[in-house]
Amino acid sequence: MQKFVRKSSIWAVIGCLFAFSIEWLASQEMNDYKRKANVLQSQKMDTLILGSSHSYYGVKAGLAGSTGTYNLSWSSQTLDESAWLLSRIPENTHTLICVSPFSLATTVNDREEMWRNVYFNRNFDWLSSDPKELSFWFSTGGRKTLKMARNVVGKVRPSRIDDFGNGARNSTNSNLPETAGEACKRHFRKPLSQQLKRILIELSRRPNIRFFTPPFHESYLACIEDKQLWNETLILLDSLSGTNSIKYTNYSKLPLPDSCFYDADHLNSTGSIVFSKILFGQEN
């Protein structure tokens, strides 16, 4: 029995060492979160964009005249993540914060894509309230963790962002109204969070802040116009712009052709250029 326990212990130690080694290798992967963390650490930008996929894909940082701009957004970025990043940015940095219909409903600790939390925790020193979100093994599963570790060794992970942090989608979905319905189901599962409301109010007191809501397709607008969360978000932004003298522009109803949309609530590459010229004041 003692011999069995001793052998089992040896294998357990070997297994733990293997798991820790793979976890460490996975954490060394040069992914897009780490690329953006390196830019943030360099502090060489004068204007930042923060927000979810609506600004990650919908704003084109680096257009002529905005070369000091960097897109620090990523898909499913939450408002408390944006606030955490902003706390590490000098107050003289101009910051554009994209407010989406779900921005006041989803926190970093209750979103469904938990694997994103590990990237954020590791690269931006966020202390998660859930230990599960600190390990790639627990949040992504063994297969994806092994793949990440392989990327470190083989250097095969390509970047999905350009030099200015922008994502890109080049096509247009053939059925935009259908994508509107799907997005509505995802975006309005949770009610307004008082915690996130307080965060937005605190952000409005910071200098050099500009809030904006992104353009949406008419089919998505029709779906969200009677949603309480969206209307409460707009009312709060209007109120803050009146009392705190913040800059806020609602572009949600900006008229754009279907060819500018990837789906009903995201711009494609063509749309991001058109919108960014307006956002940065370059429209002729």
Side-chain angles (χ1 to χ4, degrees):
M1 182 64 180
Q2 289 181 343
K3 187 177 181 180
F4 172 77
V5 171
R6 187 163 52 249
K7 285 187 176 180
S8 298
S9 298
I10 292 173
W11 281 110
V13 170
I14 292 174
C16 288
L17 287 174
F18 174 77
F20 278 122
S21 298
I22 296 300
E23 179 81 26
W24 181 83
L25 280 173
S27 70
Q28 302 304 303
E29 179 194 34
M30 181 50 76
N31 53 69
D32 289 339
Y33 281 80
K34 184 168 290 187
R35 291 182 178 96
K36 293 199 172 191
N38 290 340
V39 171
L40 178 63
Q41 188 175 12
S42 72
Q43 297 288 347
K44 293 180 179 179
M45 58 305 224
D46 52 44
T47 301
L48 283 175
I49 296 99
L50 291 169
S52 67
S53 55
H54 290 143
S55 51
Y56 175 60
Y57 293 112
V59 177
K60 200 76 168 176
L63 286 175
S66 62
T67 52
T69 303
Y70 190 80
N71 195 335
L72 201 57
S73 310
W74 52 73
S75 294
S76 298
Q77 184 178 111
T78 60
L79 188 63
D80 45 352
E81 280 182 321
S82 297
W84 176 259
L85 295 171
L86 200 56
S87 70
R88 312 179 73 184
I89 298 168
E91 288 191 345
N92 62 352
T93 302
H94 294 279
T95 307
L96 284 72
I97 299 180
C98 177
V99 181
S100 301
F102 49 82
S103 291
L104 295 184
T106 306
T107 69
V108 66
N109 288 320
D110 65 13
R111 66 179 165 195
E112 296 179 5
E113 298 167 310
M114 291 182 58
W115 57 270
R116 293 188 182 279
N117 294 16
V118 185
Y119 282 116
F120 185 66
N121 292 332
R122 291 291 182 87
N123 291 296
F124 298 100
D125 303 320
W126 173 283
L127 184 59
S128 174
S129 62
D130 186 349
K132 187 177 180 180
E133 297 171 7
L134 300 174
S135 167
F136 290 114
W137 278 110
F138 294 135
S139 67
T140 66
R143 180 178 296 182
K144 187 168 184 177
T145 306
L146 286 169
K147 182 179 179 181
M148 293 165 62
R150 183 204 68 187
N151 289 345
V152 174
V153 177
K155 306 291 185 184
V156 298
R157 180 66 178 268
S159 176
R160 290 173 293 180
I161 59 175
D162 62 20
D163 291 341
F164 298 95
N166 304 304
R169 286 170 165 169
N170 298 318
S171 60
T172 296
N173 193 289
S174 60
N175 193 336
L176 292 174
E178 182 179 334
T179 65
E182 294 170 352
C184 266
K185 291 178 182 178
R186 294 195 312 269
H187 294 165
F188 296 97
R189 293 172 179 171
K190 301 181 180 72
L192 184 142
S193 162
Q194 293 301 317
Q195 173 195 353
L196 293 173
K197 182 178 179 178
R198 289 191 294 270
I199 288 175
L200 185 65
I201 293 172
E202 285 299 317
L203 289 176
S204 72
R205 298 184 177 124
R206 181 183 166 106
N208 298 310
I209 288 286
R210 179 182 173 189
F211 294 108
F212 69 95
T213 51
F216 298 126
H217 188 261
E218 58 185 9
S219 58
Y220 183 72
L221 284 171
C223 181
I224 69 174
E225 62 181 0
D226 62 345
K227 300 293 185 182
Q228 182 177 354
L229 173 62
W230 175 235
N231 288 314
E232 287 179 333
T233 300
L234 294 179
I235 290 171
L236 177 60
L237 287 168
D238 284 333
S239 174
L240 292 174
S241 65
T243 57
N244 290 3
S245 298
I246 65 166
K247 293 181 179 180
Y248 157 61
T249 308
N250 183 352
Y251 293 106
S252 63
K253 296 182 179 180
L254 182 70
L256 294 174
D258 289 1
S259 59
C260 283
F261 290 92
Y262 169 75
D263 56 25
D265 68 304
H266 293 95
L267 298 175
N268 59 22
S269 295
T270 299
S272 71
I273 293 174
V274 173
F275 172 57
S276 297
K277 288 180 179 179
I278 297 171
L279 183 67
F280 298 132
Q282 299 170 2
E283 182 72 359
N284 294 323

